[in-house]
Amino acid sequence: MRPRALLVVLAVLAGAACSASGAGVAAPPEGPHTIVEFALAVAESSPEAIVAGPDGNLWFTESGPTANKIGRITPAGAIDEWPIPTTGSQAWGMAVGADHNLWFVEQGANKVGRITTSGTITEFPIPTVGSYPFNVASGPDGNIWFTEQSGNQIMRATPEGAMTGFAIPTGDSFPVGIASGPDGNIWFTEQSGNKIGRVTPAGVVTEFDVPTSQCSPYGITTGSDGNLWFTEYNGVKIGRITPAGVISEFPIPTPTSTPYGITPGPDGNVWFTEYDGVKVGRISPAGEITEFPITTAHCYPSLITAGPDGNLWFTEYGGNKIGRINP
């Protein structure tokens, strides 16, 4: 299981850095599935979450001790960053809200943050002490939903910042991943509980056991097939769960892959990152898996999202870079 403490981040390779507001490294001509990487200016910025913003750019969190920022990268690779007011906030998960702002959680500060596309940041304290907020999803009800790993509950936040928590029946379940489902509910993963959870907009929680024991389900997303797809960090599998709760699992060829982030792709497949495998993977609705290696060693690819340019974008937690792969 991935430790909660920050991992040791490798230094950025010489010549790969870019200015905080300048363009990233020039992209070579792209063929099928070409991976391009854009270096961040600050060493040990540890980028984690990444989402496609309403402004046509990609937005990401920087959780490292020397960064404490929210970043934006254009499809061409130009990067801008905005400091978070609270020192040591350790920004983690992120999602686009119904209000067209970017919402993120701050693990170190125990807060929820909101940033406009022009860079104005507002913070809201989480009522649960030491909740360790993890990932974020935009709900069908117009609210923001996020997991509390230590609080062992799912939290709902209104656009104004008012919060309500819903306890998970399984104690110490360590909820991490969260996504809006095709059925109008919110779905989440329980890393220690080894379950997939579902919570209605009204707060009713239901849990489903994952067949593989101690698989540590992590990321979760809705696929183009109308099912939820999730990663099994220790199980080395990709899981699929129907809205009715039926689970199927698909083994990943690389035994050390530790699958992490997951997102639907523009090609109708689901794409995921392999944290220790240093690869980006693709799984078809039928369960066929293909893997693509990343050039930077020990880069620890983390979360991944489909960009407005038709590519997949991902963070490199240890490589201190933002990656792009064309599908």
Side-chain angles (χ1 to χ4, degrees):
M1 182 181 299
R2 179 180 178 180
R4 292 207 247 166
L6 289 175
L7 299 174
V8 176
V9 184
L10 301 178
V12 178
L13 296 176
C18 62
S19 67
S21 60
V25 294
E30 295 189 17
H33 317 306
T34 298
I35 293 178
V36 180
E37 298 170 281
F38 303 90
L40 301 181
V42 179
E44 298 186 16
S45 64
S46 305
E48 174 64 15
I50 186 166
V51 299
D55 58 348
N57 297 309
L58 288 303
W59 290 74
F60 57 94
T61 57
E62 298 180 42
S63 58
T66 60
N68 201 48
K69 299 175 181 179
I70 299 299
R72 180 186 67 196
I73 182 169
T74 69
I79 297 172
D80 287 285
E81 298 168 296
W82 289 269
I84 298 171
T86 302
T87 303
S89 69
Q90 195 180 342
W92 206 252
M94 175 179 271
V96 179
D99 58 356
H100 303 293
N101 294 312
L102 289 303
W103 289 76
F104 58 94
V105 290
E106 303 175 37
Q107 291 181 345
N110 206 52
K111 295 179 179 180
V112 173
R114 181 185 67 206
I115 182 171
T116 66
T117 53
S118 60
T120 300
I121 295 177
T122 307
E123 297 174 289
F124 306 93
I126 298 173
T128 310
V129 177
S131 70
Y132 209 77
F134 219 84
N135 281 315
V136 189
S138 181
D141 56 353
N143 295 313
I144 290 295
W145 294 72
F146 61 94
T147 50
E148 290 187 352
Q149 193 181 61
S150 295
N152 206 58
Q153 62 180 354
I154 303 301
M155 186 68 79
R156 181 184 67 205
T158 68
E160 295 75 33
M163 301 182 202
T164 306
F166 305 98
I168 297 171
T170 301
D172 297 323
S173 69
F174 275 55
V176 285
I178 190 167
S180 183
D183 56 352
N185 297 311
I186 300 296
W187 291 73
F188 57 94
T189 58
E190 300 180 32
Q191 190 177 25
S192 294
N194 217 67
K195 300 177 180 181
I196 302 300
R198 180 185 68 203
V199 58
T200 68
V204 178
V205 177
T206 306
E207 298 172 289
F208 305 92
D209 292 315
V210 179
T212 301
S213 64
Q214 299 181 336
C215 71
S216 297
Y218 204 91
I220 189 168
T221 194
T222 296
S224 61
D225 59 349
N227 296 311
L228 284 300
W229 293 75
F230 58 94
T231 55
E232 298 184 19
Y233 188 83
N234 287 338
V236 196
K237 299 176 181 178
I238 299 299
R240 181 184 66 203
I241 182 169
T242 69
V246 179
I247 295 177
S248 302
E249 298 172 286
F250 307 92
I252 296 171
T254 302
T256 57
S257 75
T258 53
Y260 195 83
I262 191 165
T263 191
D267 56 352
N269 298 307
V270 171
W271 291 71
F272 59 94
T273 57
E274 300 182 31
Y275 192 79
D276 288 318
V278 194
K279 298 178 180 179
V280 173
R282 180 188 68 202
I283 182 168
S284 71
E288 181 181 359
I289 293 176
T290 308
E291 300 171 285
F292 308 97
I294 300 170
T295 302
T296 302
H298 307 295
C299 69
Y300 302 120
S302 296
L303 297 192
I304 184 169
T305 192
D309 56 351
N311 295 313
L312 283 304
W313 291 75
F314 58 94
T315 54
E316 297 184 17
Y317 187 86
N320 217 53
K321 299 175 181 178
I322 303 299
R324 182 184 71 202
I325 181 171
N326 58 341

